[in-house]
Amino acid sequence: MKIYLSLFTLLMVLITLGVDLPSMTPKNDRSDTSAAKDSALRHVVLFKFKEGTTANQLEVIESAFADLKHKIPEIESLEWGLNNSPEGLAKGFTHCFFLTFATEAARDVYLPHPDHKAFGALLDPYLEDVLVIDYWTP
């Protein structure tokens, strides 16, 4: 309890003295559509497939996703791979697709793009779950 009061007191003194405290906003936060020259927008997609999805069906899905790089020019890069983590924490997710965009506007063109939507229609019958995370590189 005393530690918390001491930290609180120190914080109040620093604020009173006008010390510029670091922002709690993540350094890579880009709420606008612009990006710094040295940063990139990453779009990470993880798939968990329904039981019974065959190796052939997975190959078709993998190829179709990889082909989006050639169909949607806003995708700067696309790589993918299969989970091989020994930690046992994948929760059934087996496939990771990693896309890079220069701007949020480029990503926003990709999301509703007809070729992306067609891929989603191909994927849907086999997909049990999906996880998507986007972030700016520092």
Side-chain angles (χ1 to χ4, degrees):
M1 180 74 165
K2 288 184 180 184
I3 291 175
Y4 293 118
L5 288 175
S6 297
L7 290 174
F8 178 74
T9 303
L10 176 61
L11 179 62
M12 298 311 325
V13 168
L14 291 173
I15 291 172
T16 302
L17 293 174
V19 174
D20 187 22
L21 299 174
S23 170
M24 295 303 289
T25 303
K27 289 182 181 181
N28 58 358
D29 178 39
R30 302 280 193 283
S31 55
D32 64 1
T33 57
S34 65
K37 277 186 171 183
D38 60 345
S39 64
L41 181 60
R42 304 287 195 223
H43 180 73
V44 182
V45 182
L46 304 174
F47 290 142
K48 180 193 302 186
F49 291 98
K50 292 179 182 175
E51 192 172 320
T53 303
T54 68
N56 186 50
Q57 291 164 331
L58 290 173
E59 286 179 24
V60 169
I61 291 165
E62 294 160 357
S63 293
F65 202 133
D67 284 346
L68 291 177
K69 168 69 176 109
H70 307 292
K71 296 177 178 182
I72 305 174
E74 287 76 13
I75 299 172
E76 289 199 349
S77 68
L78 186 154
E79 64 182 73
W80 71 275
L82 300 176
N83 177 47
N84 70 354
S85 173
E87 295 180 285
L89 301 174
K91 299 183 180 183
F93 289 91
T94 57
H95 289 66
C96 178
F97 291 85
F98 189 85
L99 294 82
T100 301
F101 298 94
T103 64
E104 290 177 1
R107 188 238 359 242
D108 294 346
V109 168
Y110 158 80
L111 292 174
H113 193 282
D115 288 312
H116 181 234
K117 292 296 185 184
F119 169 74
L122 169 75
L123 172 69
D124 190 57
Y126 310 104
L127 189 63
E128 182 176 324
D129 201 1
V130 62
L131 174 66
V132 177
I133 296 175
D134 292 357
Y135 67 93
W136 281 103
T137 62

